[in-house]
Amino acid sequence: AVRVVVREALGVAMATEADKADTQKDAEAAEPQGVVEKASVGFGQIARNFVLMGWTAFGGPAAHVGLFQKTFVEQLRWMSPEVFTELFAVCQCMPGPSSTQMSFALGTTKQGVLGGLLSGLLFQYPGAFMMTGLGLTAHLWASQEVIAENAWLAGLVGGFAAAGVALVASASIGLWNKACKEPDAKVLAGFCCVVLIYFSA
């Protein structure tokens, strides 16, 4: 009888510990990843993350927004996916490139107007310098005569265009999967995308 009682007590104790472990695991799984506090992201971190991004972000606004989402939401956790999606939706409703507006918004959420000016200007200056130089010298290399004489130049331009399309497609699919969690939301978003492409063509 004593052995039976001991076995039952041990069984209850082991079951209780297992329930506690399962409850703790469920709580850890349900707990969202922390978002970095506003005060902990200084001007130095904003400058460090944006100073080179303008030189390496290719593909246009859609690819840029995908890069922002991967860098500042998934890796650095500057903000939650919900906040990022809301900012992106607001930028889509405003005139101008959404990636330009997002670059200012990301810094503004961390260090106010000065932080937004810092992040926006650092993200924009490479394109401004490069396009200024290319625009001033376009008559030397972008004319039909020059391209006809140099087949490699036409191939280079075509390669850049194809790479840009791939980057935009990859960023769009990634953002679509992140922003639309439910199947019906994905179908609705895809339908709206097709309609917009059809009427804008």
Side-chain angles (χ1 to χ4, degrees):
V2 175
R3 290 182 180 179
V4 172
V5 172
V6 171
R7 288 177 182 176
E8 290 180 354
L10 289 175
V12 171
M14 293 176 64
T16 303
E17 292 297 328
D19 292 340
K20 289 182 179 179
D22 293 339
T23 303
Q24 184 177 2
K25 289 181 180 179
D26 294 339
E28 291 177 354
E31 183 180 359
Q33 291 184 342
V35 176
V36 178
E37 294 295 332
K38 175 181 177 180
S40 64
V41 179
F43 290 101
Q45 288 178 282
I46 294 175
R48 191 182 311 115
N49 285 284
F50 278 95
V51 68
L52 295 178
M53 188 172 288
W55 295 100
T56 58
F58 298 94
H64 297 165
V65 172
L67 177 63
F68 291 157
Q69 195 271 340
K70 183 176 182 180
T71 302
F72 298 111
V73 177
E74 296 180 6
Q75 297 177 358
L76 300 178
R77 299 201 303 276
W78 281 14
M79 61 185 61
S80 64
E82 292 77 15
V83 172
F84 183 88
T85 303
E86 291 295 330
L87 285 175
F88 179 59
V90 172
C91 293
Q92 289 288 82
C93 297
M94 299 173 64
S98 57
S99 59
T100 300
Q101 298 155 355
M102 284 294 292
S103 66
F104 283 96
L106 290 169
T108 303
T109 59
K110 295 304 173 185
Q111 288 296 333
V113 176
L114 292 179
L117 290 173
L118 178 62
S119 61
L121 292 176
L122 288 178
F123 184 72
Q124 303 302 321
Y125 86 94
F129 288 162
M130 294 175 65
M131 293 310 300
T132 299
L134 292 174
L136 292 174
T137 60
H139 63 284
L140 300 176
W141 58 270
S143 64
Q144 293 294 333
E145 294 79 8
V146 175
I147 295 178
E149 293 175 1
N150 300 276
W152 64 271
L153 187 59
L156 182 64
V157 173
F160 281 139
V165 171
L167 287 172
V168 170
S170 175
S172 300
I173 293 173
L175 191 61
W176 179 55
N177 289 326
K178 294 290 182 182
C180 304
K181 302 291 178 124
E182 302 297 330
D184 53 348
K186 290 184 177 182
V187 172
L188 181 60
F191 174 76
C192 293
C193 180
V194 172
V195 171
L196 289 174
I197 292 174
Y198 176 79
F199 283 104
S200 62

